Amino acid sequence: MQEEQILTVLKEIIDPDLNRDIVSLGFVKNIHIQNNTLKFDLCLTTPACPVKEEFVSKAKDLLNNSFKFDDITINLTAVNSPNRSVRGSNDHHPLQGVRTIIAVSSCKGGVGKSSVAAHIATELAGRGFRVGLLDIDIHGPSLPALFQINRIQVETNDQKHVIPVERHGVKLMSFGFLLGDAPAVMRGPIISQYVQTLLFQTDWGTLDYLFLDLPPGTGDVQLTLTQTVPVDGAVIVTTPQNLSLIDVSRGIIMFEKVKVPVIGIIENMAYFECPDNGKRYDVFGPSACEQFKRRFGVETLGQLPLNPEFQRIDPSVRHPAIVDLVDQTVRAIGKGVVAKHRTPQMHTDATHLHMNWSQDEQISVPFRRLRSSCPCAVCVDEITGQRRLDPDSVPDDIKPLKIIPLGNYAVGIEWSDGHASGIYSYEMIQSLTDQK
Ligand SMILES: [Zn+2]
């Protein structure tokens, strides 16, 4: 069967982010062979996948080496988000054409979250993707200022849907457009109503990415928002100077509650780049990326410099740090889509925790070793990173009472010694495994 031979050849292409071949990842679909021409779909995890051109040229090279087709057509598509249904709405809602929804959040105000969201959206639009950005920061809509839009008369279409304002290829909608200069003193229910209007009554059309600029914090408003909207993933924006691991962990836990995977952390205002000599100064102290990774298993997607120009969107200026951040973000979204289906099976025996992703990906870790390696703030000093827990103090017969999966990257464990504050990333657990 030629189709199988084609798949065997394509198996040589490995996705660098997922470390698996594109065939077993299910990316190759709808193979058609007719009159000595070959056609198939390459279905990627995210439309802006930065390695897609590489996949196509590699696939063509490999196929041309093995077969003699007159023509090979590879149609690039992206996975449709599986849960794009909206609670309490009818079949034709304005989010139907939206492929991926990403929440941009921060645990505190003043970290430049809106500016980061706007820059990511504009960069993606510049690359030819259909992008929307919704500013639901009720307390201070910043989108009008970032895109220098004032006095907008919002218009509606025949279905009474609000038409978003388009700037630099990005479809924009903001509380600021509806409120004008009026101060936004609003309480929960009204906020929720406004959000519904902005989200479900806006004519988004077809979008590859819709970014939601959430209000800062991890309170009820944020929780409700992420429950109302079918969000595919969240990024958390933070800065080194008001760095608090506790804040970030609060953010992660909030998204966990509503089953939204945190795809990464963005460190804004991470350094200062001197315009005179291009030198980089870490004026706000060292980066916390390593700590985020070690403690929560969450990657840092990028670090952005402190730059007054970032307060205004100007697509003619492409800062390398933003280009790089967008590459990493898009890859992380793609990973998240696959990882959704890759939560391990877990079971325990008298002494070990066993985790099993597939037949050739199984690990086992002794309870005592896992408990002794707890990365929480009680067991490890937040500032120095030094271990506070004396491993000898962990009882020999320690065992987990409850194991709570946290998204697709970690578990929380309640131990028989009463300790329950640790988040154990799969990556960290893998580093403790018996089978090396
Ligand atoms: Zn601990």
Side-chain angles (χ1 to χ4, degrees):
M1 193 55 205
Q2 206 170 13
E3 194 170 319
E4 269 167 37
Q5 292 169 339
I6 287 164
L7 287 176
T8 310
V9 168
L10 292 176
K11 259 189 167 223
E12 282 183 42
I13 304 175
I14 306 293
D15 185 309
D17 292 328
L18 306 166
N19 274 321
R20 282 168 71 195
D21 72 88
I22 60 169
V23 175
S24 74
L25 282 165
F27 289 179
V28 181
K29 289 199 166 91
N30 303 325
I31 300 180
H32 281 293
I33 305 161
Q34 208 175 23
N35 303 329
N36 208 35
T37 64
L38 168 67
K39 249 189 215 172
F40 64 90
D41 294 344
L42 196 52
C43 183
L44 303 167
T45 48
T46 176
C49 175
V51 286
K52 61 184 178 183
E53 265 88 38
E54 220 172 286
F55 282 167
V56 169
S57 68
K58 208 163 171 194
K60 285 193 173 170
D61 286 350
L62 286 167
L63 291 166
N64 282 326
N65 287 342
S66 312
F67 308 98
K68 299 233 174 313
F69 288 111
D70 296 334
D71 187 47
I72 300 173
T73 311
I74 302 173
N75 178 30
L76 286 172
T77 63
V79 180
N80 259 319
S81 199
N83 57 353
R84 185 63 67 249
S85 65
V86 180
R87 250 159 266 158
S89 72
N90 57 26
D91 282 341
H92 295 282
H93 59 77
L95 286 179
Q96 213 165 36
V98 179
R99 209 190 276 278
T100 311
I101 300 182
I102 301 295
V104 182
S105 78
S106 69
C107 309
K108 284 183 179 157
V111 300
K113 164 184 54 65
S114 300
S115 146
V116 171
H119 280 284
I120 294 176
T122 309
E123 168 66 22
L124 274 171
R127 295 182 189 187
F129 295 96
R130 294 160 296 190
V131 185
L133 172 57
L134 174 60
D135 173 13
I136 28 188
D137 196 340
I138 326 103
H139 306 293
S142 36
L143 206 147
L146 278 160
F147 285 88
Q148 301 190 294
I149 301 169
N150 34 37
R151 298 202 170 275
I152 277 284
Q153 188 67 49
V154 178
E155 296 185 9
T156 54
N157 66 12
D158 329 340
Q159 281 98 47
K160 298 240 181 328
H161 289 152
V162 183
I163 301 167
V165 177
E166 201 162 323
R167 284 290 185 281
H168 315 310
V170 184
K171 288 182 177 172
L172 305 169
M173 190 39 71
S174 164
F175 264 108
F177 297 165
L178 302 183
L179 296 174
D181 299 329
V185 184
M186 287 191 280
R187 297 199 182 276
I190 303 177
I191 293 174
S192 161
Q193 228 170 55
Y194 262 102
V195 171
Q196 300 273 341
T197 308
L198 288 173
L199 200 57
F200 304 128
Q201 303 294 316
T202 299
D203 180 15
W204 293 110
T206 308
L207 291 182
D208 296 309
Y209 297 98
L210 174 62
F211 292 93
L212 306 181
D213 181 2
L214 296 187
T218 49
D220 284 345
V221 174
Q222 291 78 4
L223 201 63
T224 315
L225 278 179
T226 36
Q227 270 170 323
T228 325
V229 193
V231 178
D232 295 285
V235 296
I236 298 175
V237 181
T238 183
T239 57
Q241 64 266 45
N242 65 8
L243 152 79
S244 163
L245 290 165
I246 292 167
D247 278 341
V248 172
S249 82
R250 240 181 236 143
I252 292 173
I253 288 163
M254 176 188 83
F255 285 114
E256 278 313 326
K257 277 190 194 157
V258 289
K259 305 222 172 337
V260 172
V262 173
I263 59 169
I265 291 165
I266 297 170
E267 233 181 22
N268 195 23
M269 309 179 202
Y271 55 93
F272 173 69
E273 218 171 35
C274 180
D276 299 331
N277 58 15
K279 265 195 189 167
R280 181 178 158 152
Y281 298 94
D282 291 339
V283 276
F284 304 111
S287 151
C289 308
E290 273 305 310
Q291 296 230 48
F292 294 137
K293 177 104 177 103
R294 201 175 62 234
R295 282 170 182 260
F296 311 121
V298 177
E299 300 278 350
T300 299
L301 301 172
Q303 292 178 294
L304 296 180
L306 182 74
N307 186 339
E309 284 174 12
F310 287 177
Q311 294 307 312
R312 197 170 77 86
I313 299 299
D314 178 0
S316 65
V317 186
R318 287 178 83 213
H319 195 284
I322 289 170
V323 173
D324 194 50
L325 169 68
V326 169
D327 285 345
Q328 295 308 319
T329 305
V330 163
R331 296 181 104 150
I333 294 170
K335 269 194 209 179
V337 170
V338 169
K340 263 186 194 167
H341 313 289
R342 287 197 24 99
T343 311
Q345 307 248 326
M346 278 179 277
H347 70 273
T348 54
D349 57 23
T351 53
H352 283 69
L353 167 66
H354 305 275
M355 301 174 92
N356 174 352
W357 282 266
S358 69
Q359 263 198 323
D360 25 78
E361 270 179 281
Q362 305 181 15
I363 59 165
S364 305
V365 184
F367 295 148
R368 203 158 178 275
R369 192 183 301 160
L370 194 55
R371 170 66 185 91
S372 308
S373 314
C374 176
C376 84
V378 177
C379 299
V380 178
D381 190 288
E382 287 243 344
I383 311 294
T384 62
Q386 234 162 29
R387 182 153 292 284
R388 284 176 171 166
L389 172 76
D390 173 10
D392 291 338
S393 72
V394 175
D396 284 334
D397 62 349
I398 185 96
K399 59 175 193 290
L401 300 178
K402 210 169 172 187
I403 300 173
I404 308 129
L406 300 174
N408 46 48
Y409 51 85
V411 289
I413 301 178
E414 279 179 37
W415 293 100
S416 53
D417 64 354
H419 192 71
S421 48
I423 294 176
Y424 305 77
S425 70
Y426 293 156
E427 199 162 326
M428 177 226 174
I429 299 176
Q430 265 162 338
S431 74
L432 299 171
T433 185
D434 270 351
Q435 293 133 13
K436 292 259 165 171

